[in-house]
Amino acid sequence: MIRSYCHGLVEQGASLLKLNSTLGCPRSLYALALILRDSRRNESRSYLSLAAAEGYLPAWQELLPAPEMKAKYGDLDAHVLRSYLDPPCLNKLLGRHYLYCKSVRGVQTSHCWNPLCGRWAYKATAREPPPTMAAAPPVNPLTLLDSSSPSHSAEASFPFSETAQHVEALMCQNTTTALPSSDTLSCMQSPTTQFCTTTTTSQSPSPKLRVSRMKMCSQCRRAKYCSKLCQVYDWRSGKHKMECQYLRHA
């Protein structure tokens, strides 16, 4: 997550999430599916199916229509949904980067309206249209993480570049190219916190792969969310349920 959102290295971040998902972490599968939702839809849906098979509720939210989700799980309250959100420390880090990184704030971006979520995304612009999807056969979810045969090993089934398949390679790349040098960091002080922003071009969005865009509330068309989990939580907690009616007439 930090690699994808704070360093602009989405492909490497997805590689690490994929590796962690092979260790039996449905949260990593879910995070990977959200990142790839726009650029690689077949893979994204396959990862959601794998997470749902592990009983991960947010994955079912993305796969099932609202009536089926309600029939299967009932009306989920905010307390239950909150337990599936990312850790507060991660959300604070992503949110702080979004606020103070010059290269991010200098382009059109959207931030998830859920106050407990730190995810953000680049907006689609006329100069840079959203990525188009080439026709591809459906991906069998059961073969993505099957490491029992050489032809379906974690490395063989993973479609990203060969330089991003091993943690050791990622760490080596991080120390040589990904992290900005000391002369490109400018540290800023505030009464309550200290943070650093970078002007290096490594923060620019990847030309090959980007984190997925936000989805808009169909009622007010103002609020934007990174996932159905955040959208439903923001409504069930009462925050957007109260403000949506005013935003519709704004």
Side-chain angles (χ1 to χ4, degrees):
M1 292 286 291
I2 297 174
R3 180 83 59 170
S4 298
Y5 286 90
C6 296
H7 295 286
L9 304 174
V10 181
E11 186 169 331
Q12 292 186 6
S15 298
L16 290 173
L17 287 171
K18 175 63 167 64
L19 179 63
N20 197 45
S21 66
T22 62
L23 303 178
C25 180
R27 183 184 290 269
S28 296
L29 284 169
Y30 174 73
L32 181 60
L34 293 185
I35 290 177
L36 301 179
R37 182 176 57 203
D38 289 344
S39 57
R40 299 172 183 176
R41 297 179 183 177
N42 289 337
E43 290 178 41
S44 174
R45 190 168 184 85
S46 298
Y47 293 135
L48 285 175
S49 299
L50 289 169
E54 295 291 332
Y56 198 64
L57 186 144
W60 282 115
Q61 283 184 303
E62 298 291 334
L63 293 171
L64 297 179
E68 294 185 27
M69 186 68 188
K70 182 176 181 180
K72 187 178 181 66
Y73 291 101
D75 290 323
L76 300 171
D77 57 30
H79 178 73
V80 174
L81 296 173
R82 183 169 183 171
S83 63
Y84 291 97
L85 297 176
D86 291 328
C89 56
L90 175 60
N91 290 325
K92 289 180 180 180
L93 177 62
L94 298 182
R96 187 175 65 178
H97 175 79
Y98 177 78
L99 287 175
Y100 300 120
C101 180
K102 295 180 181 179
S103 60
V104 171
R105 302 301 294 171
V107 296
Q108 292 186 347
T109 56
S110 299
H111 192 278
C112 183
W113 275 47
N114 178 8
L116 300 183
C117 180
R119 302 189 191 205
W120 54 272
Y122 295 96
K123 293 181 180 179
T125 62
R127 293 178 299 175
E128 188 170 343
T132 57
M133 292 299 300
V139 180
N140 184 1
L142 299 180
T143 64
L144 289 175
L145 299 182
D146 184 10
S147 58
S148 59
S149 62
S151 61
H152 293 293
S153 63
E155 295 181 8
S157 62
F158 194 38
F160 300 123
S161 62
E162 295 181 358
T163 58
Q165 290 182 352
H166 302 285
V167 176
E168 293 83 356
L170 293 177
M171 294 301 101
C172 180
Q173 291 177 7
N174 180 46
T175 57
T176 57
T177 60
L179 291 179
S181 57
S182 58
D183 57 349
T184 59
L185 287 174
S186 58
C187 293
M188 304 174 63
Q189 298 286 343
S190 70
T192 58
T193 185
Q194 177 180 354
F195 52 88
C196 294
T197 59
T198 178
T199 57
T200 182
T201 56
S202 65
Q203 296 287 339
S204 302
S206 172
K208 296 182 179 179
L209 185 63
R210 283 187 171 186
V211 293
S212 298
R213 298 186 299 274
M214 300 288 154
K215 291 189 175 183
M216 188 181 300
C217 172
S218 60
Q219 297 296 322
C220 66
R221 304 190 66 82
R222 297 285 296 277
K224 299 178 181 180
Y225 300 96
C226 66
S227 63
K228 290 185 179 180
L229 171 64
C230 284
Q231 182 180 12
V232 176
Y233 171 80
D234 206 31
W235 184 268
R236 296 284 166 78
S237 64
K239 175 181 173 294
H240 190 60
K241 187 176 184 179
M242 178 181 61
E243 67 186 6
C244 187
Q245 55 183 330
Y246 300 104
L247 293 174
R248 286 201 299 266
H249 303 289

